[in-house]
Amino acid sequence: MKILLISYDYYLYDGRLRELIKVARALGETTFITRSSDGEKPQGEGHILYRDRGYSHFILFVCQQMQKIGPQDLILIDNRKGIIPGYLAKKLTHARYVVQDCRELYSYQSATGIAGKIGCLIEKIFTRRSDVVIAANAYRAKRMVKMFGLKEMPLNYENIRRLTYRSEQAHQQVEEECREFFADQEKFRIISTAGCDVSRTTVRMVEAMKGLGDAFELLLIGESEEEDEQIIRETIRSLRLTNVKIFPQMDENHLKYFIEHCQVGMVTYHQRDLNNKYCASGKIYEFLFEGKPVVTSTNPPLKEFCEKYHVGQASDDYEQAIRKIADQYPRFCETVKHVAGRLHVEKNNDRLTEQIRRRLGVS
């Protein structure tokens, strides 16, 4: 079976996308189109990079590539912005099937701006036409049936993913670049990979560092809106903090190294819309696979996970949650080690592969 995966996201920075590509390859001969970050090279055979010139040009680019790619059997659509180019590709390649991964969940009522509302309408129109629909957790799958008028429950594909070094040489290079930053091994470091995103309760996270003091250090890593970063920097200045550090978005090698050398991972979301309230965070798995307990916000999936597996604290009081983990750190780490040993990225991918085959009735 020939498969074409279409994504408007970045291979180097998107863990769910990387795992979806593995699923596609397990289903058949795969070609995948993704956006290109600066200096990125194709990640193996069948990878087509789109040098970013905007979304409308991306749609045109995909259509142009169809002449080179030729007939396909299945189109795998990654996320909402893959829908229009994906369905155009279906028509141009005479593909029989469409599999659509809905990693996000926005309602028309909660969408902000014209573009967001148009995106919701497009998703509602086309999702019900897809042969297989994938959700990022069970909470979302149940809601999507009613929202999109689906005849079948979406397949539940959790964001179980593990960070890896691309090579031993890459590991050594990162070690040389970053070793000095972690020279002070007495610090109890907390890491968030949401950048300075104010909507993700980052201000509250920074404010907690005032009470925790200099024995603790918070690292904020990720792409940030300029306005959000200004708010966080102003909060740091007003509180006279020296224990909060801001870093840009990192590739997988650097991100893994930083998580390895921290003690706790922060996984936080607001609860003002469905996508965030019923978050499907892969970050929690990235932290667990590195042996790190987590502090999370009280969103239902995160709260349920912490209470079920005892791998961290779900709380709106970040300072007290961090202190509790620090006070019982060996116990939390032992529990994380036990739970992580029962999580399997490959089994999660294999399960989705087999579920897609059964839904489509193919071998």
Side-chain angles (χ1 to χ4, degrees):
M1 185 159 59
K2 290 189 174 182
I3 296 157
L4 172 63
L5 184 152
I6 297 173
S7 176
Y8 194 61
D9 284 298
Y10 300 101
Y11 179 94
L12 292 180
Y13 301 114
D14 195 314
R16 186 175 179 90
L17 171 58
R18 292 194 294 268
E19 297 307 321
L20 278 173
I21 292 168
K22 293 176 186 176
V23 170
R25 284 174 164 163
L27 287 167
E29 180 185 337
T30 300
T31 303
F32 55 106
I33 301 174
T34 69
R35 289 169 79 184
S36 170
S37 56
D38 292 341
E40 182 180 352
K41 296 179 181 179
Q43 304 295 317
E45 187 177 353
H47 188 191
I48 299 172
L49 284 169
Y50 166 62
R51 307 294 176 184
D52 200 351
R53 291 169 56 189
Y55 181 63
S56 58
H57 188 268
F58 176 70
I59 296 172
L60 178 62
F61 175 82
V62 170
C63 292
Q64 291 171 339
Q65 293 301 311
M66 294 310 98
Q67 298 175 2
K68 305 174 186 177
I69 292 172
Q72 299 290 304
D73 299 302
L74 184 152
I75 307 298
L76 178 49
I77 293 171
D78 173 38
N79 214 354
R80 180 188 293 178
K81 287 189 175 179
I83 293 175
I84 292 178
Y87 269 90
L88 287 171
K90 178 182 187 293
K91 185 176 181 63
L92 293 170
T93 64
H94 308 289
R96 183 176 179 183
Y97 306 111
V98 172
V99 175
Q100 182 179 339
D101 180 41
C102 300
R103 67 166 69 186
E104 296 178 341
L105 182 64
Y106 289 107
S107 66
Y108 183 85
Q109 292 76 15
S110 66
T112 57
I114 296 175
K117 292 189 179 296
I118 291 173
C120 287
L121 289 174
I122 291 172
E123 194 167 33
K124 187 167 187 177
I125 291 168
F126 284 96
T127 302
R128 67 183 68 179
R129 299 182 183 182
S130 295
D131 299 286
V132 178
V133 178
I134 303 168
N137 64 29
Y139 287 93
R140 296 179 178 214
K142 291 177 183 177
R143 287 185 169 267
M144 285 166 63
V145 173
K146 185 176 181 180
M147 284 178 63
F148 300 139
L150 303 179
K151 296 178 181 178
E152 292 184 291
M153 182 74 71
L155 301 179
N156 178 19
Y157 180 54
E158 298 277 348
N159 274 313
I160 301 176
R161 60 186 190 232
R162 179 198 298 267
L163 296 172
T164 59
Y165 291 114
R166 293 194 62 80
S167 65
E168 182 55 35
Q169 182 180 3
H171 183 189
Q172 292 174 0
Q173 183 176 342
V174 173
E175 174 81 33
E176 291 174 6
E177 291 174 4
C178 306
R179 181 191 300 119
E180 189 61 32
F181 181 81
F182 295 100
D184 184 355
Q185 298 183 12
E186 298 301 315
K187 293 277 188 182
F188 190 92
R189 293 185 171 92
I190 306 106
I191 183 169
S192 167
T193 58
C196 296
D197 191 340
V198 171
S199 73
R200 299 272 289 273
T201 69
T202 308
V203 171
R204 191 144 40 95
M205 205 184 298
V206 171
E207 290 172 343
M209 300 309 295
K210 180 71 173 178
L212 288 168
D214 288 339
F216 295 79
E217 188 171 65
L218 173 64
L219 310 184
L220 301 175
I221 298 173
E223 188 175 17
S224 305
E225 296 290 337
E226 184 177 348
E227 182 179 353
D228 282 0
E229 185 170 335
Q230 288 177 350
I231 290 171
I232 295 302
R233 290 192 182 279
E234 180 54 38
T235 304
I236 292 169
R237 281 194 293 269
S238 65
L239 295 175
R240 298 180 180 178
L241 299 176
T242 59
N243 58 349
V244 180
K245 303 291 190 298
I246 297 173
F247 296 89
Q249 189 176 39
M250 293 183 179
D251 61 28
E252 189 175 5
N253 295 320
H254 287 82
L255 187 59
K256 177 176 172 62
Y257 185 85
F258 267 68
I259 294 174
E260 283 179 347
H261 289 79
C262 290
Q263 280 65 50
V264 170
M266 293 288 299
V267 184
T268 59
Y269 296 83
H270 66 76
Q271 301 194 49
R272 298 189 298 275
D273 57 46
L274 292 174
N275 190 56
N276 283 279
K277 183 174 182 178
Y278 298 109
C279 54
S281 181
K283 300 178 189 301
I284 198 166
Y285 294 107
E286 291 177 351
F287 291 136
L288 295 184
F289 278 126
E290 299 302 331
K292 311 303 175 183
V294 293
V295 169
T296 77
S297 47
T298 55
N299 305 59
L302 301 178
K303 190 171 187 290
E304 180 184 65
F305 193 94
C306 286
E307 290 177 349
K308 182 177 180 179
Y309 296 109
H310 308 290
V311 293
Q313 291 288 295
S315 173
D316 293 321
D317 187 336
Y318 296 153
E319 180 181 343
Q320 291 308 311
I322 292 167
R323 285 191 186 280
K324 183 169 183 177
I325 290 181
D327 290 343
Q328 304 176 49
Y329 194 64
R331 180 178 70 81
F332 275 105
C333 287
E334 189 61 34
T335 304
V336 168
K337 181 180 178 181
H338 175 70
V339 172
R342 293 157 52 195
L343 295 171
H344 300 280
V345 178
E346 295 78 13
K347 287 184 179 179
N348 190 46
N349 290 345
D350 291 345
R351 187 183 306 114
L352 178 62
T353 302
E354 289 307 311
Q355 288 175 330
I356 292 173
R357 283 185 177 137
R358 286 198 296 269
R359 285 277 175 100
L360 297 178
V362 299
S363 58

PDB file of all heavy atoms in Angstrom, residues 27-48:
ATOM      1  N   LEU A  27       2.365   0.719   7.825  1.00  0.00           N
ATOM      2  CA  LEU A  27       1.227   0.404   6.969  1.00  0.00           C
ATOM      3  C   LEU A  27       1.640   0.150   5.527  1.00  0.00           C
ATOM      4  O   LEU A  27       0.993  -0.612   4.809  1.00  0.00           O
ATOM      5  CB  LEU A  27       0.209   1.554   7.007  1.00  0.00           C
ATOM      6  CG  LEU A  27      -0.607   1.704   8.290  1.00  0.00           C
ATOM      7  CD1 LEU A  27      -1.324   3.046   8.303  1.00  0.00           C
ATOM      8  CD2 LEU A  27      -1.613   0.565   8.434  1.00  0.00           C
ATOM      9  N   GLY A  28       2.718   0.811   5.082  1.00  0.00           N
ATOM     10  CA  GLY A  28       3.137   0.630   3.696  1.00  0.00           C
ATOM     11  C   GLY A  28       4.236   1.587   3.276  1.00  0.00           C
ATOM     12  O   GLY A  28       4.854   2.265   4.102  1.00  0.00           O
ATOM     13  N   GLU A  29       4.471   1.654   1.986  1.00  0.00           N
ATOM     14  CA  GLU A  29       5.500   2.529   1.408  1.00  0.00           C
ATOM     15  C   GLU A  29       5.071   3.985   1.580  1.00  0.00           C
ATOM     16  O   GLU A  29       4.037   4.398   1.050  1.00  0.00           O
ATOM     17  CB  GLU A  29       5.674   2.205  -0.074  1.00  0.00           C
ATOM     18  CG  GLU A  29       6.715   3.049  -0.792  1.00  0.00           C
ATOM     19  CD  GLU A  29       6.761   2.758  -2.279  1.00  0.00           C
ATOM     20  OE1 GLU A  29       6.330   1.650  -2.689  1.00  0.00           O
ATOM     21  OE2 GLU A  29       7.207   3.640  -3.030  1.00  0.00           O
ATOM     22  N   THR A  30       5.863   4.756   2.316  1.00  0.00           N
ATOM     23  CA  THR A  30       5.412   6.077   2.764  1.00  0.00           C
ATOM     24  C   THR A  30       6.215   7.232   2.169  1.00  0.00           C
ATOM     25  O   THR A  30       7.445   7.215   2.169  1.00  0.00           O
ATOM     26  CB  THR A  30       5.464   6.166   4.305  1.00  0.00           C
ATOM     27  OG1 THR A  30       4.610   5.164   4.858  1.00  0.00           O
ATOM     28  CG2 THR A  30       5.022   7.537   4.795  1.00  0.00           C
ATOM     29  N   THR A  31       5.482   8.239   1.706  1.00  0.00           N
ATOM     30  CA  THR A  31       6.030   9.551   1.361  1.00  0.00           C
ATOM     31  C   THR A  31       5.420  10.543   2.336  1.00  0.00           C
ATOM     32  O   THR A  31       4.218  10.460   2.639  1.00  0.00           O
ATOM     33  CB  THR A  31       5.653   9.953  -0.076  1.00  0.00           C
ATOM     34  OG1 THR A  31       6.122   8.954  -0.984  1.00  0.00           O
ATOM     35  CG2 THR A  31       6.260  11.302  -0.433  1.00  0.00           C
ATOM     36  N   PHE A  32       6.238  11.456   2.883  1.00  0.00           N
ATOM     37  CA  PHE A  32       5.663  12.423   3.814  1.00  0.00           C
ATOM     38  C   PHE A  32       6.170  13.833   3.535  1.00  0.00           C
ATOM     39  O   PHE A  32       7.348  14.048   3.242  1.00  0.00           O
ATOM     40  CB  PHE A  32       5.892  12.028   5.276  1.00  0.00           C
ATOM     41  CG  PHE A  32       7.325  11.793   5.687  1.00  0.00           C
ATOM     42  CD1 PHE A  32       8.007  12.710   6.468  1.00  0.00           C
ATOM     43  CD2 PHE A  32       7.986  10.619   5.326  1.00  0.00           C
ATOM     44  CE1 PHE A  32       9.317  12.488   6.873  1.00  0.00           C
ATOM     45  CE2 PHE A  32       9.292  10.380   5.724  1.00  0.00           C
ATOM     46  CZ  PHE A  32       9.955  11.316   6.502  1.00  0.00           C
ATOM     47  N   ILE A  33       5.241  14.775   3.596  1.00  0.00           N
ATOM     48  CA  ILE A  33       5.517  16.192   3.346  1.00  0.00           C
ATOM     49  C   ILE A  33       5.373  16.947   4.662  1.00  0.00           C
ATOM     50  O   ILE A  33       4.341  16.868   5.327  1.00  0.00           O
ATOM     51  CB  ILE A  33       4.536  16.771   2.310  1.00  0.00           C
ATOM     52  CG1 ILE A  33       4.634  16.007   0.985  1.00  0.00           C
ATOM     53  CG2 ILE A  33       4.804  18.260   2.093  1.00  0.00           C
ATOM     54  CD1 ILE A  33       3.598  16.432  -0.047  1.00  0.00           C
ATOM     55  N   THR A  34       6.426  17.683   5.054  1.00  0.00           N
ATOM     56  CA  THR A  34       6.387  18.486   6.273  1.00  0.00           C
ATOM     57  C   THR A  34       7.021  19.848   6.006  1.00  0.00           C
ATOM     58  O   THR A  34       7.755  20.027   5.040  1.00  0.00           O
ATOM     59  CB  THR A  34       7.153  17.809   7.427  1.00  0.00           C
ATOM     60  OG1 THR A  34       8.560  17.818   7.133  1.00  0.00           O
ATOM     61  CG2 THR A  34       6.697  16.376   7.639  1.00  0.00           C
ATOM     62  N   ARG A  35       6.758  20.791   6.910  1.00  0.00           N
ATOM     63  CA  ARG A  35       7.414  22.098   6.831  1.00  0.00           C
ATOM     64  C   ARG A  35       8.884  21.953   7.200  1.00  0.00           C
ATOM     65  O   ARG A  35       9.253  21.094   7.998  1.00  0.00           O
ATOM     66  CB  ARG A  35       6.765  23.092   7.783  1.00  0.00           C
ATOM     67  CG  ARG A  35       5.378  23.537   7.361  1.00  0.00           C
ATOM     68  CD  ARG A  35       4.698  24.295   8.480  1.00  0.00           C
ATOM     69  NE  ARG A  35       5.154  25.663   8.568  1.00  0.00           N
ATOM     70  CZ  ARG A  35       4.761  26.501   9.532  1.00  0.00           C
ATOM     71  NH1 ARG A  35       3.957  26.087  10.494  1.00  0.00           N
ATOM     72  NH2 ARG A  35       5.191  27.742   9.542  1.00  0.00           N
ATOM     73  N   SER A  36       9.689  22.838   6.647  1.00  0.00           N
ATOM     74  CA  SER A  36      11.119  22.796   6.901  1.00  0.00           C
ATOM     75  C   SER A  36      11.533  23.901   7.864  1.00  0.00           C
ATOM     76  O   SER A  36      11.166  25.063   7.685  1.00  0.00           O
ATOM     77  CB  SER A  36      11.876  22.955   5.576  1.00  0.00           C
ATOM     78  OG  SER A  36      13.255  23.136   5.810  1.00  0.00           O
ATOM     79  N   SER A  37      12.297  23.530   8.890  1.00  0.00           N
ATOM     80  CA  SER A  37      12.922  24.528   9.756  1.00  0.00           C
ATOM     81  C   SER A  37      14.260  24.917   9.132  1.00  0.00           C
ATOM     82  O   SER A  37      14.732  24.283   8.185  1.00  0.00           O
ATOM     83  CB  SER A  37      13.117  23.967  11.160  1.00  0.00           C
ATOM     84  OG  SER A  37      13.875  22.777  11.115  1.00  0.00           O
ATOM     85  N   ASP A  38      14.891  25.951   9.650  1.00  0.00           N
ATOM     86  CA  ASP A  38      16.128  26.470   9.071  1.00  0.00           C
ATOM     87  C   ASP A  38      17.202  25.392   8.993  1.00  0.00           C
ATOM     88  O   ASP A  38      17.548  24.759   9.994  1.00  0.00           O
ATOM     89  CB  ASP A  38      16.648  27.636   9.905  1.00  0.00           C
ATOM     90  CG  ASP A  38      15.742  28.855   9.811  1.00  0.00           C
ATOM     91  OD1 ASP A  38      14.945  28.913   8.855  1.00  0.00           O
ATOM     92  OD2 ASP A  38      15.831  29.726  10.692  1.00  0.00           O
ATOM     93  N   GLY A  39      17.727  25.179   7.796  1.00  0.00           N
ATOM     94  CA  GLY A  39      18.830  24.265   7.613  1.00  0.00           C
ATOM     95  C   GLY A  39      18.475  22.792   7.682  1.00  0.00           C
ATOM     96  O   GLY A  39      19.364  21.936   7.639  1.00  0.00           O
ATOM     97  N   GLU A  40      17.204  22.481   7.795  1.00  0.00           N
ATOM     98  CA  GLU A  40      16.806  21.073   7.907  1.00  0.00           C
ATOM     99  C   GLU A  40      17.022  20.323   6.600  1.00  0.00           C
ATOM    100  O   GLU A  40      16.800  20.859   5.517  1.00  0.00           O
ATOM    101  CB  GLU A  40      15.326  20.982   8.305  1.00  0.00           C
ATOM    102  CG  GLU A  40      14.841  19.559   8.501  1.00  0.00           C
ATOM    103  CD  GLU A  40      13.373  19.481   8.897  1.00  0.00           C
ATOM    104  OE1 GLU A  40      12.774  20.551   9.167  1.00  0.00           O
ATOM    105  OE2 GLU A  40      12.823  18.372   8.925  1.00  0.00           O
ATOM    106  N   LYS A  41      17.427  19.082   6.720  1.00  0.00           N
ATOM    107  CA  LYS A  41      17.592  18.206   5.564  1.00  0.00           C
ATOM    108  C   LYS A  41      16.540  17.100   5.632  1.00  0.00           C
ATOM    109  O   LYS A  41      16.037  16.775   6.707  1.00  0.00           O
ATOM    110  CB  LYS A  41      18.996  17.593   5.561  1.00  0.00           C
ATOM    111  CG  LYS A  41      20.108  18.631   5.407  1.00  0.00           C
ATOM    112  CD  LYS A  41      21.479  17.963   5.432  1.00  0.00           C
ATOM    113  CE  LYS A  41      22.586  19.015   5.290  1.00  0.00           C
ATOM    114  NZ  LYS A  41      23.943  18.388   5.349  1.00  0.00           N
ATOM    115  N   PRO A  42      16.188  16.494   4.488  1.00  0.00           N
ATOM    116  CA  PRO A  42      15.198  15.411   4.493  1.00  0.00           C
ATOM    117  C   PRO A  42      15.598  14.294   5.458  1.00  0.00           C
ATOM    118  O   PRO A  42      16.758  13.900   5.517  1.00  0.00           O
ATOM    119  CB  PRO A  42      15.198  14.933   3.040  1.00  0.00           C
ATOM    120  CG  PRO A  42      15.623  16.121   2.255  1.00  0.00           C
ATOM    121  CD  PRO A  42      16.643  16.816   3.110  1.00  0.00           C
ATOM    122  N   GLN A  43      14.612  13.791   6.192  1.00  0.00           N
ATOM    123  CA  GLN A  43      14.856  12.753   7.195  1.00  0.00           C
ATOM    124  C   GLN A  43      14.631  11.374   6.578  1.00  0.00           C
ATOM    125  O   GLN A  43      13.699  10.662   6.906  1.00  0.00           O
ATOM    126  CB  GLN A  43      13.931  12.964   8.388  1.00  0.00           C
ATOM    127  CG  GLN A  43      14.036  14.339   9.015  1.00  0.00           C
ATOM    128  CD  GLN A  43      15.401  14.579   9.629  1.00  0.00           C
ATOM    129  OE1 GLN A  43      15.948  13.694  10.289  1.00  0.00           O
ATOM    130  NE2 GLN A  43      15.947  15.761   9.437  1.00  0.00           N
ATOM    131  N   GLY A  44      15.483  11.009   5.658  1.00  0.00           N
ATOM    132  CA  GLY A  44      15.391   9.700   5.051  1.00  0.00           C
ATOM    133  C   GLY A  44      14.600   9.700   3.757  1.00  0.00           C
ATOM    134  O   GLY A  44      14.067  10.725   3.308  1.00  0.00           O
ATOM    135  N   GLU A  45      14.506   8.530   3.170  1.00  0.00           N
ATOM    136  CA  GLU A  45      13.831   8.360   1.883  1.00  0.00           C
ATOM    137  C   GLU A  45      12.340   8.687   1.994  1.00  0.00           C
ATOM    138  O   GLU A  45      11.683   8.335   2.966  1.00  0.00           O
ATOM    139  CB  GLU A  45      14.003   6.913   1.404  1.00  0.00           C
ATOM    140  CG  GLU A  45      13.493   6.668  -0.004  1.00  0.00           C
ATOM    141  CD  GLU A  45      13.760   5.246  -0.464  1.00  0.00           C
ATOM    142  OE1 GLU A  45      14.455   4.513   0.269  1.00  0.00           O
ATOM    143  OE2 GLU A  45      13.271   4.881  -1.540  1.00  0.00           O
ATOM    144  N   GLY A  46      11.823   9.386   1.001  1.00  0.00           N
ATOM    145  CA  GLY A  46      10.401   9.691   0.956  1.00  0.00           C
ATOM    146  C   GLY A  46      10.012  10.971   1.674  1.00  0.00           C
ATOM    147  O   GLY A  46       8.820  11.304   1.733  1.00  0.00           O
ATOM    148  N   HIS A  47      10.986  11.709   2.219  1.00  0.00           N
ATOM    149  CA  HIS A  47      10.666  12.944   2.935  1.00  0.00           C
ATOM    150  C   HIS A  47      10.771  14.132   1.995  1.00  0.00           C
ATOM    151  O   HIS A  47      11.830  14.414   1.427  1.00  0.00           O
ATOM    152  CB  HIS A  47      11.620  13.129   4.117  1.00  0.00           C
ATOM    153  CG  HIS A  47      11.249  14.275   5.011  1.00  0.00           C
ATOM    154  ND1 HIS A  47      12.074  14.754   5.998  1.00  0.00           N
ATOM    155  CD2 HIS A  47      10.121  15.039   5.071  1.00  0.00           C
ATOM    156  CE1 HIS A  47      11.482  15.750   6.625  1.00  0.00           C
ATOM    157  NE2 HIS A  47      10.301  15.948   6.075  1.00  0.00           N
ATOM    158  N   ILE A  48       9.678  14.861   1.848  1.00  0.00           N
ATOM    159  CA  ILE A  48       9.635  16.069   1.022  1.00  0.00           C
ATOM    160  C   ILE A  48       9.481  17.268   1.951  1.00  0.00           C
ATOM    161  O   ILE A  48       8.537  17.338   2.744  1.00  0.00           O
ATOM    162  CB  ILE A  48       8.467  16.026   0.018  1.00  0.00           C
ATOM    163  CG1 ILE A  48       8.621  14.834  -0.920  1.00  0.00           C
ATOM    164  CG2 ILE A  48       8.373  17.331  -0.768  1.00  0.00           C
ATOM    165  CD1 ILE A  48       7.418  14.597  -1.812  1.00  0.00           C
TER     166      ILE A  48
END
